[in-house]
Amino acid sequence: MSHAEADDLYGDGGETGHTFLFTLNDDYIIDANRKGNSARWINHSCAPNCRAVVEESADGNPRHDKVMIEAIRAIKPGEELTYDYGITLEVPHTARLKKLWKCLCGAPDCTGTLLKPKR
Ligand SMILES: [Zn+2]
């Protein structure tokens, strides 16, 4: 869906503390609530073992771009796959929103929130 469609459906105020949306590129957002595969269950971690990489489509159509989950280190059998969601909201990241988007990854260097500092 387009970014405007996602904003209409879910708002952009970050009030859920939970999302199945993935920003694909400047034009599109993947809504895993509607057509997601099992990758939508991969949790965030502040010390992830994977990263999400957007592969641009060879045909140049941004609608055909794909998200790939790549390992960034050796992963033991049975170990949970995680990546850094890198969430940045349109609204200011207040203490209340950081708490709403609380991170429970358990990493020693956990930031305590899924929200990334704005630049
Ligand atoms: Zn964390």
Side-chain angles (χ1 to χ4, degrees), residues 44-47 102-114:
H44 163 90
S45 174
C46 298
K102 182 166 63 176
C103 183
L104 301 169
C105 78
D109 55 350
C110 178
T111 64
T113 182
L114 275 65

Side-chain angles (χ1 to χ4, degrees), residues 47-66:
N49 53 21
C50 297
R51 66 178 173 186
V53 178
V54 175
E55 182 184 76
E56 292 185 17
S57 174
D59 69 8
N61 182 345
R63 194 176 178 90
H64 297 156
D65 290 354
K66 293 182 175 171

Side-chain angles (χ1 to χ4, degrees), residues 1-74:
M1 69 173 60
S2 70
H3 289 258
E5 288 173 302
D7 288 348
D8 285 349
L9 259 178
Y10 302 107
D12 60 358
E15 293 298 324
T16 63
H18 177 77
T19 186
F20 279 120
L21 301 180
F22 191 104
T23 301
L24 185 61
N25 50 44
D26 288 344
D27 297 319
Y28 294 105
I29 287 190
I30 294 173
D31 181 1
N33 286 305
R34 301 202 293 191
K35 283 190 170 181
N37 64 22
S38 57
R40 74 182 183 275
W41 301 114
I42 298 175
N43 281 318
H44 163 90
S45 174
C46 298
N49 53 21
C50 297
R51 66 178 173 186
V53 178
V54 175
E55 182 184 76
E56 292 185 17
S57 174
D59 69 8
N61 182 345
R63 194 176 178 90
H64 297 156
D65 290 354
K66 293 182 175 171
V67 179
M68 301 188 317
I69 306 299
E70 289 184 346
I72 55 174
R73 63 167 172 78

